Amino acid sequence: MSEQIAESLADEEPSLTGATSHRRTSKVAIVGAGAVGSTMAYAALMRGAARTVALFDINKAKVEAEALDLGHGIQFMSMAEVVGSDDIAVCADADVVVFTAGAKQKPGQTRLDLAEATIGLVKKVLPSLVEVAPNAVYVMVTNPVDVVTYASLKISGLPPTQLFGSGTVLDSSRLRYLIAKHTGVAVQNVHAYIAGEHGDSELPLWSSASIGAIPLLEWQGIEGEGPLTSAVRDEIAREVVESAYRIIEGKGATNYAVALAGSRIIEAILKDERRVLPVSSLLTGYYGIDDVCLSVPSIVGSAGVLDRLPVPMSVDELSGLRSSAQAVRDVARRFGF
């Protein structure tokens, strides 16, 4: 059998009727080939998340170089194709579009300070993306993610199931890491969420958190590690909020953990996992909160955000979530949304 025939057959599979049809393979398009976008592509490839990873960026030399560099490593990971271009057509027919392009956060800047420049970029790029990939699930991974997600819904006209933000998936990972470090338990056995804004007004949902099957607030400690007192919890919450600023101060950008968080969201969509993730989506009637994009534990699958879970909250947590909603809403209104 010639190589040409073998390649042709590899692209086809028998149908139930005995005929052949083109095999549908998964495609992820990543908008922005900067620190986050290129690392996101690397993480998705290493995890075998998609058969095709397409990078789009207006910097032609940069995006082509990133794709070439990643392509040279395909031998050492799951088989995939990597393409990079400054032509938006490279994103055509993607199953998932991850939007990482945006203004770079500088030391001392809050995420909300970035809103104007990033929303301006979304206005330029997103409509063309929707034209070439109308059926994709869109994941916004650019700051301030809650405001940008809300603006993107208005700009694109896409339903709130189909477009959402990465929200506090990374923040929740940071929270679990710090709890695990304090308690001496594997991070995989810590279950806790950060809710609200991906930013300074976010809050940990302590009342629903657990370590193994033990409610976190009832944790007494093991092997010399003490319980998670109110003071310890406050310190952990503060470190979660400030950790991104520390990383940006030290190395200029956060990229590894956010890329891993993003690739986890990609897998939940492509594999229709119905995984519970604290993504940022448009809330309607969630504990009386409406018309704002915020992170709450949500079910994510092939159609995007399928539902939001009514997680039990304390009076203080619910008050904090509503305050966070108002903070995000105020910024969105400032920009006409």
Side-chain angles (χ1 to χ4, degrees), residues 15-56:
S15 68
L16 293 176
T17 61
T20 57
S21 61
H22 188 73
R23 180 184 289 122
R24 181 75 174 90
T25 58
S26 55
K27 178 177 179 178
V28 171
I30 298 172
V31 179
V36 173
S38 56
T39 311
M40 185 88 68
Y42 176 77
L45 290 164
M46 286 296 292
R47 293 177 66 92
R51 184 61 175 77
T52 300
V53 173
L55 273 169
F56 166 75

Side-chain angles (χ1 to χ4, degrees), residues 142-163:
T142 184
N143 285 318
V145 69
D146 307 290
V147 174
V148 170
T149 299
Y150 185 84
S152 298
L153 285 169
K154 299 297 184 181
I155 292 165
S156 67
L158 292 171
T161 52
Q162 193 178 345
L163 185 150

